Amino acid sequence: MPKITIIGAGQTGATTAHWIAEKGLADVVLVDVVEGLPQGKALDLTQAMPIVGSDSHVVGTNDYAETAGSEIVIITAGLPRKPGMSRDELLEVNSKIVREAVERSLTASPEAILIVLTNPLDPMAYLAMKVGGLPRGRVLGQAGILDSARMRAFVAMELRVSVQNVHCYVLGGHGDEMVPLTRHSNVAGVPLEQAMPPDRLAAIVERTRKGGGEIVGLLKTGSAFYAPAAALAQMAEAVLLDRHLVVPASVLLEGEYGLRGIFFGVPAQLGRGGLEKIIEYQLSPAERQALEVSAGKVREAIAALKI
Ligand code: TXD
């Protein structure tokens, strides 16, 4: 079995281990600074495997030595938002955590592909690439699958249609300025803009943008984790199984969409080497303008990293 390490055995880390192990995709090493937490969750997951019929091995540890030889390292370590907080307010505290996670996991697994989840997502993925001295293909940030899945779920609820018929593309930075591309989204081939009245579509776009905050507000402690973890597992599977799967993901742009030097959510093709290709949509002036606004926010947050 290939090996996937997950740094951070909190809500998203442990739930990602759950999805990956249930699929039988890989053996999983869960790492956390809290003693006993990754060990306890790994043991619990191990005891679920006979029931779900998977032979994935899940181990928990506080020691990076056990992560050696991982094909993929998923970074979820760091603080989540509290109600009313923006993702960018986590920049300082989470930078230190992500820096350490990258350095230590790459020492143990120099060839690994990194998938970053920690917020603020786009700057943390940028930091991971810089700290690791990695080519852009080896660092992927997860945000777009989640944001697009939120929109897909809302559309499916609105139109009472299977989620499998709903295709949505949310691009841009993982903040409230993200850009749900309604013109590129469709229900069984029917453009979204024809499938529902403009006011309903506008409401879905707004709810999608604030989707993370809605859950933070309800939970009061912690943020969303089931859907983010499912998104991480999908990215890990696309890489491990060399699927050439196109998903919205945060990757370093080098001129695509007229942007350069920032991690930003775009349609990205993922396979064994990580990022294989960026798909460039033809955008209307309004869509381009919305992406520029979002990119400005990401650029500011990356500048605040001071690296
Ligand atoms: O779409 C996205 N990108 C996101 C991002 C979706 C969901 C969550 N998102 C962000 O991921 C969230 O804002 C946080 O910054 C991270 C982790 O969220 P999670 O909900 O999993 O937070 P938890 O439950 O608090 O878990 C974090 C764990 C916790 O067990 C800590 O002890 C551990 O991280 N931690 C560390 N592990 C290893 N090494 C270090 N240094 C460390 N510091 C904390």
Side-chain angles (χ1 to χ4, degrees), residues 10-12 32-34 76-80 94 117 119 142 146 174 224:
Q11 299 278 57
T12 46
D32 205 284
V33 280
V34 178
T76 76
L79 303 190
N94 283 351
L117 184 82
N119 271 327
Q142 190 303 117
L146 170 67
H174 187 50

Side-chain angles (χ1 to χ4, degrees), residues 37-218:
L37 180 76
Q39 292 87 345
K41 290 192 176 178
L43 196 53
D44 193 6
L45 277 168
T46 296
Q47 294 162 4
M49 292 305 108
I51 305 170
V52 298
S54 165
D55 286 310
S56 283
H57 295 105
V58 186
V59 297
T61 180
N62 310 111
D63 180 0
Y64 279 78
E66 288 194 56
T67 71
S70 296
E71 262 100 321
I72 296 175
V73 173
I74 297 174
I75 300 179
T76 76
L79 303 190
R81 284 195 282 172
K82 296 197 172 73
M85 216 182 189
S86 83
R87 294 175 179 93
D88 284 346
E89 288 174 62
L90 297 167
L91 187 105
E92 210 177 309
V93 55
N94 283 351
S95 294
K96 295 192 185 88
I97 295 172
V98 167
R99 182 180 282 275
E100 182 199 313
V102 169
E103 283 168 352
R104 298 183 69 184
S105 53
L106 283 178
T107 303
S109 306
E111 304 299 324
I113 290 187
L114 304 185
I115 306 179
V116 180
L117 184 82
T118 307
N119 271 327
L121 185 268
D122 306 286
M124 290 304 110
Y126 181 89
L127 178 72
M129 186 191 72
K130 288 288 176 192
V131 168
L134 298 173
R136 74 163 174 172
R138 280 181 55 196
V139 184
L140 311 169
Q142 190 303 117
I145 297 179
L146 170 67
D147 298 329
S148 304
R150 285 182 171 145
M151 187 169 170
R152 292 173 68 191
F154 297 147
V155 169
M157 280 152 59
E158 175 79 17
L159 298 178
R160 293 174 158 272
V161 64
S162 166
V163 290
Q164 291 192 35
N165 288 133
V166 184
H167 305 281
C168 295
Y169 299 91
V170 179
L171 305 189
H174 187 50
D176 292 351
E177 297 77 21
M178 66 181 73
V179 185
L181 286 181
T182 53
R183 217 164 48 88
H184 297 76
S185 303
N186 70 80
V187 181
V190 178
L192 217 49
E193 295 173 347
Q194 289 170 27
M196 67 178 81
D199 61 323
R200 294 308 306 153
L201 184 52
I204 286 176
V205 164
E206 187 57 14
R207 194 174 179 195
T208 300
R209 285 208 173 110
K210 305 270 168 66
E214 181 179 0
I215 292 178
V216 170
L218 289 167

Side-chain angles (χ1 to χ4, degrees), residues 214-278:
E214 181 179 0
I215 292 178
V216 170
L218 289 167
L219 294 179
K220 304 203 176 56
T221 54
S223 55
F225 54 99
Y226 290 115
L232 284 172
Q234 186 180 41
M235 289 175 83
E237 183 183 86
V239 170
L240 218 49
L241 303 187
D242 199 22
R243 279 198 188 269
H244 315 297
L245 182 73
V246 178
V247 289
S250 180
V251 296
L252 182 78
L253 297 187
E254 293 176 338
E256 297 86 358
Y257 290 92
L259 300 167
R260 186 176 290 279
I262 57 170
F263 268 72
F264 203 59
V266 293
Q269 185 174 308
L270 309 185
R272 198 64 195 83
L275 171 67
E276 296 181 328
K277 187 161 102 181
I278 291 171

